[in-house]
Amino acid sequence: MKLTFTCLLTWVSSWALVSAASAQAPASPVANIAVLTGRVTSPTSDTVAVSIHDSPFDSKERISYARLNEKGEFRLSIPVSGSTKADLVYGDAVADLFLDPGTDMDVRFKADDLPGTVKFRANDVPTGFATKLRNSANLTDAQRHRQQMANANSYLAEFDEQFVSNDGFQVLPDNIQLYEAPFVSFLDYRIKHERNFLEDRAARQSFTIDFYNYAKAEITYSNANDRLTFPDLREQVVSTEGRMTMTPGYFDYLRDPNLLNDQTAIGNEQFQEFLLNYVHYMAAQQKHQRTDPDFYPFCYALASKRLNGQMKLLTLGRILQESFRFGHVRQSAAMLADFRALDTKKRYIATLDNDFTKHKALAIGSQAPDFRLLSAAGDSVRLSSFQGKLVYLNFWKTTNGLCLRDLAYAQDLAKRFEGKNIVFVNVALDELELPWKQLVTIKKLPGVHVRATGGLRSEVAKAYNLQEVPTYILLGEDGTILNPKPKRLSSRAAVDEINQSFGRAGVYSAAVAQLPGAPK
């Protein structure tokens, strides 16, 4: 009887979704605008904002701001061209949003706990009708649509509290320690509960078909990504053990053709990430590693063959951006020319061209930007003075947990390579000098320690195009970049990579010299 009831709920949910989709367009919406009104309790900042990533290849956000009045109230009109994920931002706190043309919601939260207290209510929908949407003859199309979008955002807040903010449902920090069988069991348990949560809410409420597809893809592909990347991530995090050998059936789920061809998931970031991870996995299966010069051209060719349509274009763009960031500029130039011909509507090529130009200066084989900074001891240190040695650059901050975690590994590496032809140069991006200097001095941290005044806004950070910390860069004995993304200090493979890098200076310089516009 229980199985029959569950099937009935699912059928009713699907019927309701289809019915809602057929009538979801508002009767007279404000074209391409989503409206948020609301109130912040006990405000600590006078501004609320919504940020949207319009392009999957551009890290820049489009931000809409609104000031709070003396009562903490605000009104935001956000231009949107279609259904889209967004972020509600207040101070340092962020909550997920889902918006589309016709969205019109009242949003309320406490200033000291945006994610945990945010509530959504549809504007201009009579009280009491929200639970009667299955018999919604008394609602206009516009009211029904507004209620659906309020339901969607309420779902996101509940889902975040129950699953995303709950470490028990996350791979990191604890579940990454598991072995294969218990890890698969953990994922099966999680996806079962997440899907039940979605179907239960969809059976009791009404969502637009766009949001339902988004929520379903978020569950499917976050779990698919975690399963696909588990062996690599575990190898990086669990430094006391070697790489785990998976059983032959571990990756069998990838054989499901629907996993690669879900047309309803194209706009979902988790789906796009999964396609990229899938291409990486297939390349590795054919013995192509990230350190190989032909890795990205092989991935590009593989995606060109296996994918089609919008999925193909998005994945090829992601592969291109990776090749830029990992410094394989000569190969990137050829792939970019091919992508230009494929992007017939010119939706992405301008962004990728700009990204390519920005990273070209930091390509493998390019001369590393020089700098002169003060050390913790007060000396003036110039990067170019270390030519003749390998240089392992570490850009870090004392306030970043991941950077602090890597300190022990940095000390171990320095001891391992003591007396060898390598120097570890650590560039702190701290705003404050004293905490940094005290940490370096009290802990007696090995290597060269300097600080870039201005942090991520400093000239050094701009020259190296730094977006986050920690960032590592390996330089050859001639001062050229050997690897803009070397193995992390905490990785067991870092030692092997450094040993293999001695004497390789100049290997890639000739390739950079052949690029159009390179200095002769």
Side-chain angles (χ1 to χ4, degrees), residues 159-335:
F159 189 91
D160 181 271
E161 181 179 6
Q162 188 154 336
F163 298 103
V164 180
S165 300
N166 185 343
D167 284 350
F169 284 101
Q170 298 304 309
V171 171
L172 291 172
D174 297 327
N175 291 307
I176 195 66
Q177 308 282 342
L178 298 172
Y179 291 102
E180 179 184 326
F183 182 76
V184 171
S185 179
F186 153 69
L187 287 185
D188 288 343
Y189 175 84
R190 184 177 74 177
I191 198 170
K192 174 185 175 182
H193 280 74
E194 288 177 340
R195 284 174 171 165
N196 285 345
F197 183 84
L198 172 61
E199 295 305 330
D200 174 69
R201 296 304 185 276
R204 293 193 284 115
Q205 301 174 332
S206 176
F207 297 143
T208 65
I209 195 66
D210 280 355
F211 176 75
Y212 178 80
N213 287 334
Y214 166 83
K216 184 176 69 170
E218 196 75 5
I219 292 170
T220 299
Y221 291 102
S222 62
N223 282 277
N225 276 317
D226 283 343
R227 181 160 183 161
L228 190 53
T229 59
F230 171 63
D232 289 336
L233 185 59
R234 192 180 192 281
E235 181 185 23
Q236 295 176 35
V237 174
V238 184
S239 58
T240 56
E241 300 178 20
R243 184 178 181 83
M244 185 182 296
T245 301
M246 314 309 287
T247 61
Y250 179 81
F251 295 104
D252 281 355
Y253 76 104
L254 295 174
R255 296 178 181 176
D256 179 1
N258 295 322
L259 204 61
L260 291 178
N261 298 290
D262 188 350
Q263 297 294 326
T264 66
I266 288 176
N268 188 281
E269 292 178 2
Q270 289 286 348
F271 180 51
Q272 295 169 19
E273 186 72 14
F274 169 75
L275 291 176
L276 183 65
N277 288 330
Y278 171 79
V279 172
H280 288 168
Y281 165 76
M282 294 301 296
Q285 291 298 104
Q286 298 187 47
K287 309 303 180 185
H288 290 267
Q289 304 302 319
R290 289 176 187 261
T291 51
D292 298 340
D294 69 339
F295 178 76
Y296 291 103
F298 183 84
C299 288
Y300 190 93
L302 187 66
S304 296
K305 183 178 180 180
R306 299 250 176 157
L307 304 174
N308 49 59
Q310 186 73 355
M311 292 179 289
K312 173 180 173 179
L313 207 58
L314 290 171
T315 306
L316 293 179
R318 293 286 297 276
I319 293 169
L320 273 170
Q321 286 196 307
E322 274 202 336
S323 73
F324 303 162
R325 284 162 173 72
F326 280 82
H328 296 276
V329 177
R330 190 180 181 193
Q331 296 93 324
S332 300
M335 291 186 290

Side-chain angles (χ1 to χ4, degrees), residues 54-84:
D54 288 316
S55 169
F57 304 128
D58 192 347
S59 60
K60 292 181 181 178
E61 300 168 321
R62 175 167 55 87
I63 304 178
S64 302
Y65 296 95
R67 286 199 174 276
L68 308 184
N69 65 17
E70 65 279 0
K71 297 180 181 179
E73 298 169 334
F74 64 89
R75 178 183 175 85
L76 261 171
S77 293
I78 305 128
V80 288
S81 57
S83 300
T84 183

Side-chain angles (χ1 to χ4, degrees), residues 136-149:
S136 55
N138 293 315
L139 295 182
T140 67
D141 288 347
Q143 288 174 327
R144 183 182 303 108
H145 183 83
R146 288 197 287 270
Q147 184 62 57
Q148 289 172 328
M149 295 307 291

